[in-house]
Amino acid sequence: MDKKIQKLLEQASDLAEEQEFEEAILLYDKVLDSEPKNIPALLDKAATLQRMGKNSQSFQIFNLVLKEDSKNVDALVGKGTLLHAKSKYADAIQCYDLALKLKPKFAMALACKGMSLGELGKINEALSCFKKALVIDKDYDLANIGKQKALEILKSRK
């Protein structure tokens, strides 16, 4: 990737971190104008759109990336989180499982899968996912929060 494109991606990422989403999207679009199949730009744009609540646009981009590279774990997890948000938990789990088949030690995919399993009432399976995620990354917030919630639910059932 040339230096100019790399610099634009870094600037866009910084803007997105600062929640300057519109400006970040403009820079991602600038990159995509010259390199329409730039996967990092597509993924970051999709994630930024998702943070903006523009889920259908984000979903389209994750699908576009998966059409180019069906084994892109970031696109699979991104698509899964959007399906989860639509209460399509079983479909979301399929995305996470595909990502985990490709990258078994992917804490984010495990934690997200745990969240979807929890929504389906499969608390023990969810807890297992959170624990596996925490073995990989002991400080992963989503997994820690999910684990605590799962333990509370299991405790209240006794």
Side-chain angles (χ1 to χ4, degrees), residues 28-106:
Y28 292 129
D29 285 342
K30 197 179 249 189
V31 170
L32 293 167
D33 284 343
S34 60
E35 293 182 11
K37 292 184 180 181
N38 183 305
I39 300 296
L42 287 166
L43 288 171
D44 288 351
K45 180 179 179 182
T48 302
L49 287 166
Q50 189 173 7
R51 289 177 69 191
M52 295 169 76
K54 297 184 177 189
N55 291 351
S56 63
Q57 285 175 271
S58 179
F59 196 77
Q60 287 175 328
I61 294 172
F62 284 131
N63 279 331
L64 182 72
V65 170
L66 290 168
K67 214 164 110 180
E68 288 297 312
D69 175 11
S70 64
K71 294 181 172 155
N72 188 298
V73 292
D74 295 318
L76 286 166
V77 171
K79 182 176 176 177
T81 61
L82 289 166
L83 289 164
H84 178 98
K86 288 177 141 185
S87 302
K88 293 183 176 184
Y89 306 118
D91 293 339
I93 290 167
Q94 283 185 321
C95 288
Y96 305 138
D97 282 342
L98 284 171
L100 288 164
K101 212 178 260 176
L102 298 163
K103 187 178 173 183
K105 294 190 183 308
F106 194 3

Side-chain angles (χ1 to χ4, degrees), residues 89 114-126 153-154 157:
Y89 306 118
M115 291 299 204
S116 291
L117 285 165
E119 291 293 342
L120 292 173
K122 298 177 179 184
I123 307 304
N124 285 316
E125 288 176 58
I153 291 168
L154 290 172
R157 287 182 178 175

Side-chain angles (χ1 to χ4, degrees), residues 144-156:
N144 272 311
I145 293 165
K147 179 184 169 190
Q148 290 312 120
K149 195 169 183 178
L151 288 171
E152 286 168 24
I153 291 168
L154 290 172
K155 194 175 172 184
S156 72

Side-chain angles (χ1 to χ4, degrees), residues 125-142:
E125 288 176 58
L127 185 58
S128 172
C129 287
F130 297 133
K131 285 179 177 177
K132 286 178 189 170
L134 289 167
V135 167
I136 298 162
D137 179 356
K138 65 180 174 33
D139 298 320
Y140 193 49
D141 284 343
L142 183 64

